[in-house]
């Protein structure tokens, strides 16, 4: 399925999934906060209701103590009834004090003693102190009157004691009202705080998701722009189009470095192809001229060989017949003149050929240096690809670490679920949280697997680029070796041309010497036999040198043909690229 999705879609999914998980987690935590608020409200009701219940029970015990006191003060009870009512009076007094003590401990543990009444501004602590003062005073007076053997008239309706009693009950009622008011106020404050918290969370989630989406989309746009640009450049280079203009500024990150490296590579290749094209054209012109000069030199050498052959035949005829010496001498003079002229022409053509051979040798050295520069540029690009491979491996290691952390989190959530199951009803809420953590760990593993997939594809692309760089490097190496072969051929041609020039100069000197000898023969016929023998020896040497020169010129022509073939291959290779 991931192969059908583009890199842009996968990056967007990689951005949206954590955002949705973050939003879902926030809503889940808000729900749990709402549940905790309900639990806190219930707990608060339990505390206040328990305290209020104890206060109400203490008020009931006070009323029962008052009832027992009134029965005892009436004087109408028998001895047994009196004893029973005295016990009831003391029991109700003790129960009242005990219940108030329990309520005081509960309110103290929950810091409720400082809470005050909205109307009287009396705190719980002040009301408890007033209650103890009033109730203890009434209880002491009631016990004293109840245990007295002689009841005074009007003790049952003593207004002062009743006022003390009512004031004590009023203190209890005020404590109950304070507890009710505190419960309602606290619950309302908790609910308001919960609403404020939820509103803040909603706003924070919206802001965070918006920032995350904006930053992610910006990063995705930056990455995709760079990828499209590099893909376009490499596609054009693969098609032979080097008409690419580099940027003037680059981003200060890895993508900017990759873009700059690609631009530098294309510029170097473009510069190299341009230099190769120029030098190849120059070498082709020089090779054409060298081939033409070689053919002319071969033709001249062949003509010289024919002339020397004729001269040799003439010398032999002169040796056989002294009668025809004059005629042979005249023909020999004409032949020697032609040899001198041809030797002069050959010397000029050989000098020009030597000059072009030296020029071609220098151009080949420059071309070989350019191919060496290509190899260096390809090696630098290969190093960049290796660095990118190492960074991809580091990203893979980070993704593996995320997978390991997610697996450990999953294991911890499983252990938490087991412990929650052991806790029973009390661990149910923690079990839900553990399940959610396990889901998040599973989703993190899936995201890490997605990252690993992208890294594998990136490695494949890097492998293809590395293979292409290796192919380019091999081709450049082959071109370098071919240029070395061409350079070796040029050195051979240059040496042959230099030897040919030396021999041509030697032939010219011999021709001049033969011309001087022919003049001597014309002036003095007596030395014709000796001169003919000398001329015969010289002509044989000239013939051998001419034959050797002819062979060398054939070698030059063959080398020129090979050079033309190499230049044609270079022209075909360079013509594939478009640089302007």
């Amino acid at each position: 399925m991931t192969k059908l999705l583009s890199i842009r879609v996968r990056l967007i999914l990689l951005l949206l999934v954590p955002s949705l998980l973050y939003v879902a987690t926030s809503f889940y935590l808000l729900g749990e906060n709402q549940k905790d608020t309900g639990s806190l409200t219930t707990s608060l009701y339990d505390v206040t209701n328990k305290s209020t219940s104890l206060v109400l029970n203490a008020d009931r015990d006070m009323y029962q103590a008052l009832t027992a006191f009134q029965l005892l003060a009436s004087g109408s009870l028998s001895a047994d009834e009196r004893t029973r009512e005295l016990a009831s009076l003391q029991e109700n007094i003790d129960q009242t004090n005990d219940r108030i003590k329990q309520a005081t401990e509960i309110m103290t543990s929950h810091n409720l003693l400082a809470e005050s009444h909205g109307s009287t501004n009396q705190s719980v602590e002040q009301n408890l102190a007033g209650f103890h003062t009033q109730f203890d005073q009434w209880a002491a007076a009631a016990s004293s009157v109840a245990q007295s053997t002689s009841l005074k008239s009007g003790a049952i309706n003593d207004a002062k004691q009743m006022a003390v009693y009512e004031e004590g009950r009023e203190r209890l009622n005020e404590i109950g009202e304070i507890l009710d008011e505190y419960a309602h106020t606290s619950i309302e404050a908790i609910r308001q705080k919960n609403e404020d918290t939820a509103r803040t969370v909603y706003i924070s989630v919206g802001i965070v998701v918006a920032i995350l989406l904006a930053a992610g989309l910006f990063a995705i746009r930056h990455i995709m722009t760079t990828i499209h640009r590099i893909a376009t450049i490499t596609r054009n280079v693969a098609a032979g189009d080097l008409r690419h203009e580099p940027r003037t500024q680059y981003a200060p990150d890895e993508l900017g470095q990759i873009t700059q490296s690609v631009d530098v590579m294309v510029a170097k290749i473009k510069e190299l192809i341009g230099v190769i094209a120029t030098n190849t054209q120059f070498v082709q012109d020089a090779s054409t001229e060298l081939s033409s000069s070689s053919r002319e030199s071969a033709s001249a050498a062949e003509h010289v060989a024919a002339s020397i052959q004729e001269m040799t035949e003439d010398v032999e005829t002169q040796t056989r017949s002294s009668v025809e010496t004059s005629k042979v001498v005249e023909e020999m003079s004409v032949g020697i003149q032609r040899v001198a002229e041809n030797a002069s022409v050959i010397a000029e053509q050989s000098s020009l050929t030597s000059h072009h051979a030296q020029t071609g040798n220098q151009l080949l050295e420059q071309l070989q240096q350019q191919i060496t520069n290509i190899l260096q540029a390809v090696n630098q690009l290969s190093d960049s690809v290796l660095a990118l491979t190492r960074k991809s491996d580091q990203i893979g290691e980070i993704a593996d670490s995320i997978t390991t952390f997610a697996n450990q989190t999953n294991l911890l959530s499983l252990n938490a679920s087991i412990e929650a199951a052991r806790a029973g009803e009390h661990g149910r809420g923690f079990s839900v949280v553990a399940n959610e953590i396990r889901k998040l760990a599973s989703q993190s593993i899936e995201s890490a697997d997605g990252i690993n997939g992208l890294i594998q594809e990136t490695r494949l692309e890097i492998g293809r680029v590395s293979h292409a760089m290796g192919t380019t490097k091999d081709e450049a190496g082959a071109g370098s070796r071919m240029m070395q072969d061409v350079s070796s051929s040029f050195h051979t041609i240059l040496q042959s041309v230099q030897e040919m020039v030396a021999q041509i100069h030697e032939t010219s000197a011999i021709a001049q010497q033969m011309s001087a000898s022919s003049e001597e023969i014309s002036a003095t016929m007596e030395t014709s036999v000796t001169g003919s023998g000398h001329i015969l020896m010289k002509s044989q040497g000239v013939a051998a040198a001419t034959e050797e020169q002819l062979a060398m010129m054939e070698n030059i022509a063959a080398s020129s043909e090979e050079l033309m073939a190499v230049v044609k291959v270079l022209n075909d290779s360079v013509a594939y690229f478009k640089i302007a």
Side-chain angles (χ1 to χ4, degrees):
M1 180 62 183
T2 56
K3 294 182 178 179
L4 299 177
L5 301 177
S6 64
I7 294 178
R8 184 193 301 275
V9 174
R10 279 179 275 181
L11 289 175
I12 292 175
L13 290 177
L14 194 63
L15 176 65
L16 288 179
V17 170
S19 300
L20 294 176
L21 290 177
Y22 175 68
V23 173
T25 304
S26 300
F27 281 109
Y28 171 76
L29 293 177
L30 285 175
E32 292 297 320
N33 187 29
Q34 188 68 31
K35 293 179 181 178
D36 294 338
T37 302
S39 300
L40 181 62
T41 302
T42 303
S43 176
L44 182 61
Y45 265 121
D46 291 341
V47 172
T48 55
N49 285 339
K50 190 173 182 180
S51 300
T52 304
S53 177
L54 290 172
V55 171
L56 292 177
N57 288 331
D59 182 70
R60 183 195 60 191
D61 291 336
M62 284 183 65
Y63 181 76
Q64 291 178 354
L66 177 63
T67 302
F69 170 71
Q70 289 177 346
L71 290 174
L72 290 170
S74 65
S76 59
L77 300 176
S78 62
D80 292 337
E81 293 175 344
R82 181 179 177 79
T83 301
R84 187 171 58 252
E85 292 299 328
L86 280 173
S88 176
L89 174 63
Q90 189 61 41
E91 181 182 1
N92 287 319
I93 291 174
D94 292 339
Q95 287 181 353
T96 300
N97 288 325
D98 185 59
R99 295 182 192 280
I100 293 300
K101 181 180 180 182
Q102 293 178 10
T104 302
E105 291 176 353
I106 293 174
M107 290 185 289
T108 301
S109 64
H110 291 84
N111 298 322
L112 299 179
L113 295 180
E115 298 295 326
S116 60
H117 195 276
S119 300
T120 62
N121 292 327
Q122 291 290 319
S123 65
V124 174
E125 187 177 6
Q126 291 174 343
N127 282 308
L128 287 173
F131 165 76
H132 284 299
T133 300
Q134 302 298 328
F135 181 71
D136 289 345
Q137 180 181 350
W138 177 85
S143 298
S144 176
V145 171
Q147 293 175 1
S148 177
T149 55
S150 58
L151 296 173
K152 295 181 180 181
S153 177
I156 193 173
N157 295 318
D158 189 351
K160 183 177 180 181
Q161 292 299 323
M162 287 302 296
V164 171
Y165 175 82
E166 291 297 334
E167 186 174 353
R169 289 192 67 186
E170 182 64 26
R171 293 283 186 176
L172 291 182
N173 291 332
E174 191 168 333
I175 290 173
E177 292 176 358
I178 291 173
L179 291 175
D180 290 338
E181 183 179 358
Y182 170 76
H184 289 294
T185 304
S186 299
I187 291 171
E188 185 63 28
I190 291 172
R191 289 177 178 173
Q192 184 63 36
K193 185 176 180 180
N194 186 42
E195 292 177 359
D196 294 339
T197 302
R199 188 181 302 109
T200 303
V201 170
Y202 290 143
I203 295 173
S204 300
V205 167
I207 293 174
V208 170
V209 171
I211 293 174
L212 182 62
L213 290 176
L217 292 176
F218 176 77
I220 291 172
R221 181 176 178 273
H222 180 53
I223 293 173
M224 293 308 300
T225 301
T226 303
I227 291 175
H228 286 317
R229 184 175 185 273
I230 293 176
T232 301
I233 293 172
T234 54
R235 185 166 53 250
N236 292 336
V237 171
D241 188 0
L242 298 177
R243 295 172 294 183
H244 167 69
E245 295 298 330
R247 289 183 175 179
T248 57
Q249 294 181 350
Y250 298 93
D253 54 9
E254 288 79 2
L255 294 176
Q257 293 175 2
I258 292 174
T259 304
Q260 186 177 7
S261 298
V262 172
D263 288 344
V264 171
M265 178 190 71
V266 175
K268 290 290 185 182
I269 294 175
K270 180 179 179 181
E271 180 182 357
L272 177 61
I273 295 300
V275 173
I276 290 175
T278 302
N279 292 335
T280 302
Q281 183 63 38
F282 191 79
V283 170
Q284 183 178 9
D285 296 338
S287 299
T288 303
E289 187 173 354
L290 177 61
S291 178
S292 177
S293 299
S294 298
R295 286 194 295 270
E296 292 178 0
S297 297
S299 178
E302 185 178 1
H303 187 65
V304 169
S307 299
I308 290 183
Q309 185 65 31
E310 293 176 359
M311 180 185 69
T312 303
E313 293 176 354
D314 291 339
V315 171
E316 290 177 353
T317 302
Q318 182 183 10
T319 303
R320 289 192 303 267
S321 178
S322 298
V323 179
E324 300 178 356
T325 301
S326 298
K327 185 177 180 180
V328 171
V329 169
E330 291 179 359
E331 293 179 354
M332 185 177 66
S333 297
V334 174
I336 290 172
Q337 185 66 31
R338 291 175 62 189
V339 168
E341 294 176 354
N342 291 332
S344 178
V345 173
I346 292 173
E348 293 178 357
Q349 294 295 329
S350 298
S351 298
L352 183 60
T353 302
S354 177
H355 174 71
H356 286 302
Q358 291 177 355
T359 303
N361 190 27
Q362 293 176 357
L363 292 176
L364 282 176
E365 290 177 354
Q366 295 178 2
L367 185 59
Q368 186 173 3
Q369 182 63 34
Q370 292 296 328
I371 292 178
T372 303
N373 294 334
I374 288 177
L375 286 174
Q376 293 177 354
V378 171
N379 288 329
Q380 292 177 358
L381 184 59
S382 178
D383 294 338
S384 299
V385 172
L386 289 176
L388 185 59
T389 303
R390 290 195 294 271
K391 291 185 179 180
S392 297
D393 293 336
Q394 293 175 359
I395 295 173
E397 292 175 359
I398 294 172
D400 292 337
S401 299
I402 293 173
T403 304
T404 303
F405 295 154
N407 288 328
Q408 293 178 355
T409 304
N410 195 8
L411 181 60
L412 291 175
S413 67
L414 180 60
N415 292 332
S417 299
I418 294 173
E419 294 298 329
R422 290 178 180 176
E425 184 67 24
H426 298 287
R428 181 178 299 175
F430 189 69
S431 177
V432 174
V433 176
N435 290 331
E436 292 298 326
I437 292 174
R438 185 163 60 251
K439 291 179 182 179
L440 291 175
S442 299
Q443 293 168 355
S444 298
I445 292 175
E446 293 177 359
S447 299
D449 291 339
I451 293 174
N452 284 326
L454 291 177
I455 292 172
Q456 291 299 327
E457 293 181 3
T458 302
R459 287 176 177 172
L460 290 176
E461 293 297 330
I462 292 173
R464 295 191 186 99
V465 174
S466 179
H467 178 70
M469 291 299 101
T471 303
T472 304
K473 186 177 179 180
D474 294 339
E475 292 295 332
S480 178
R481 291 190 294 272
M482 184 181 294
M483 293 309 300
Q484 290 176 356
D485 294 338
V486 174
S487 179
S488 177
S489 299
F490 259 106
H491 282 297
T492 302
I493 293 171
L494 182 60
Q495 292 176 359
S496 299
V497 170
Q498 289 175 350
E499 291 177 0
M500 181 186 68
V501 170
Q503 291 180 1
I504 288 173
H505 284 297
E506 183 179 356
T507 302
S508 178
I510 292 171
Q512 291 176 0
Q513 187 176 0
M514 289 173 65
S515 178
S517 298
S518 64
E519 290 177 358
E520 290 179 1
I521 291 171
S522 298
T524 309
M525 293 298 297
E526 290 81 3
T527 60
S528 60
V529 177
T530 304
S532 296
H534 183 69
I535 291 172
L536 179 60
M537 294 176 60
K538 292 295 185 180
S539 64
Q540 290 176 349
V542 171
T546 305
E547 290 178 357
E548 184 177 357
Q549 177 186 356
L550 182 60
M552 292 177 62
M553 294 307 297
E554 290 177 353
N555 291 331
I556 292 174
S559 299
S560 298
E561 294 295 333
E562 293 179 358
L563 181 61
M564 289 293 292
V566 172
V567 171
K568 185 177 183 303
V569 172
L570 288 176
N571 280 330
D572 293 339
S573 300
V574 172
Y576 179 75
F577 296 97
K578 304 178 183 65
I579 60 176

